[in-house]
């Protein structure tokens, strides 16, 4: 089944690449707006041999990784504290529901005013967007704790930290891992968006330069790079999730299938 799915995926990708080559060649779209696949592939190869490209890739990955690490740490800690401390969940519910829907891109003017086009501007956007993914999932995970299991732990004399470790955390971990996986994708989107709009160093800024200089094949090649980067991040996040939840029924059932 896996080999069949892989073969179908490869066939679909090959058909897409052939279509991308044929459409501009047949004149269905102008080549200056949508170059053939072969020209994009050539520009992609040129990018890989350019040292500035690797510097931009490193800047993007730095902003993504730092922002994600901060967001995950803060989301888990705050989520657990808000859920465990009595009445704190109710006291913060309206604030969370007010702040959570605010689009991160709406903070771009604030980020520029505070930090200009530095890495910290990108971090502000990434942390704000990814934080909510982890926080909300953590809150849901803690709320899913079996009250009978919690009361049993209390009756055996387990303290607060022991209950968090042995009762709360195993229940919340699947939710947390889902939040981390979602946050990883959102963090990359905001990192690229921040670089593209603000002009902070990274792949987004390089895409903007290619667009402004009418280097269309190079622009598409960089867009392909961001897509591949997102794919790798998603695969990596799923791999980490499977290993962290190897004991969980959902992953064990997935492996069995």
């Amino acid at each position: 089944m896996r080999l069949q799915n892989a073969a179908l995926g490869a066939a679909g990708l090959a058909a897409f690449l052939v279509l991308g080559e044929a459409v501009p060649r047949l004149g269905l779209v102008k080549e200056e707006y949508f170059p053939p696949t072969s020209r994009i592939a050539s520009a992609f190869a040129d990018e890989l041999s350019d040292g500035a490209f690797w510097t931009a890739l490193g800047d993007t990955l730095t902003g993504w990784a730092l922002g994600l690490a901060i967001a995950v740490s803060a989301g888990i800690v705050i989520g657990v504290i808000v859920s465990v401390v009595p009445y704190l969940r109710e006291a913060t519910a309206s604030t969370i529901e007010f702040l959570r829907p605010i689009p991160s891109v709406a903070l771009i003017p604030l980020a520029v005013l505070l930090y200009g086009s530095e890495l910290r501007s990108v971090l502000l956007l990434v942390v704000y967007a990814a934080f909510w993914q982890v926080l909300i999932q953590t809150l849901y995970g803690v709320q899913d704790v079996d009250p009978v299991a919690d009361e049993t732990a209390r009756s055996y004399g387990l303290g607060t930290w022991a209950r968090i470790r042995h009762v709360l955390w195993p229940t919340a971990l699947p939710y947390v891992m889902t939040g981390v996986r979602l946050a990883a994708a959102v963090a990359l989107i905001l990192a690229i968006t921040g670089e593209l709009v603000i002009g902070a160093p990274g792949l987004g800024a390089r895409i903007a330069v290619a667009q402004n200089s009418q280097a269309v094949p190079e622009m598409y090649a960089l867009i392909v790079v961001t897509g591949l980067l997102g794919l790798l991040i998603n695969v990596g996040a799923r791999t980490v999730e499977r290993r962290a939840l190897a004991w969980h029924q959902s992953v064990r059932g997935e492996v069995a299938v």
Side-chain angles (χ1 to χ4, degrees), residues 160-181:
T160 301
W161 289 112
R163 294 199 308 274
I164 290 176
R165 177 183 177 184
H166 298 290
V167 179
L168 185 151
W169 184 245
T171 302
L173 185 58
Y175 293 86
V176 172
M177 294 308 302
T178 299
V180 171
R181 175 163 49 83

Side-chain angles (χ1 to χ4, degrees), residues 68 129-130 133-134 137 176-187 234 237:
L68 180 62
Q133 308 294 328
V134 181
Q137 290 296 325
V176 172
M177 294 308 302
T178 299
V180 171
R181 175 163 49 83
L182 296 174
V186 170
N234 184 62

Side-chain angles (χ1 to χ4, degrees), residues 29-213:
V29 295
K30 294 183 178 180
E31 289 193 22
E32 55 264 33
Y33 300 139
F34 188 82
T37 302
S38 57
R39 290 184 59 192
I40 297 176
S42 177
F44 180 79
D46 292 338
E47 288 291 335
L48 294 181
S49 61
D50 188 354
F53 163 77
W54 294 105
T55 300
L57 178 61
D59 291 334
T60 296
L61 289 176
T62 299
W64 168 80
L66 286 176
L68 180 62
I70 296 172
V72 169
S73 302
I76 293 175
V77 172
I78 295 176
V80 171
I81 292 175
V82 167
S83 300
V84 172
V85 177
Y87 307 112
L88 189 57
R89 177 70 178 95
E90 291 76 11
T92 58
S94 58
T95 303
I96 292 174
E97 293 303 320
F98 170 74
L99 294 175
R100 183 166 62 96
I102 298 177
S104 297
V105 292
L107 300 179
I108 289 179
L110 175 63
V112 173
L113 286 174
L114 291 176
Y115 306 118
S117 59
E118 299 178 8
L119 174 63
R120 289 182 292 179
S121 296
V122 175
L123 286 178
L124 175 62
L125 302 177
V126 170
V127 170
Y128 186 85
F131 168 77
W132 299 111
Q133 308 294 328
V134 181
L135 175 66
I136 298 303
Q137 290 296 325
T138 302
L139 293 176
Y140 286 149
V142 175
Q143 289 176 355
D144 198 39
V145 172
D146 188 352
V148 175
D150 188 49
E151 288 299 326
T152 302
R154 291 175 183 272
S155 66
Y156 276 96
L158 271 68
T160 301
W161 289 112
R163 294 199 308 274
I164 290 176
R165 177 183 177 184
H166 298 290
V167 179
L168 185 151
W169 184 245
T171 302
L173 185 58
Y175 293 86
V176 172
M177 294 308 302
T178 299
V180 171
R181 175 163 49 83
L182 296 174
V186 170
L188 178 64
I189 294 172
L190 267 298
I192 300 295
T193 301
E195 294 164 357
L196 185 63
V197 177
I198 298 174
L203 292 176
R206 198 168 173 84
I207 292 174
V209 171
Q211 177 194 17
N212 294 331
S213 59

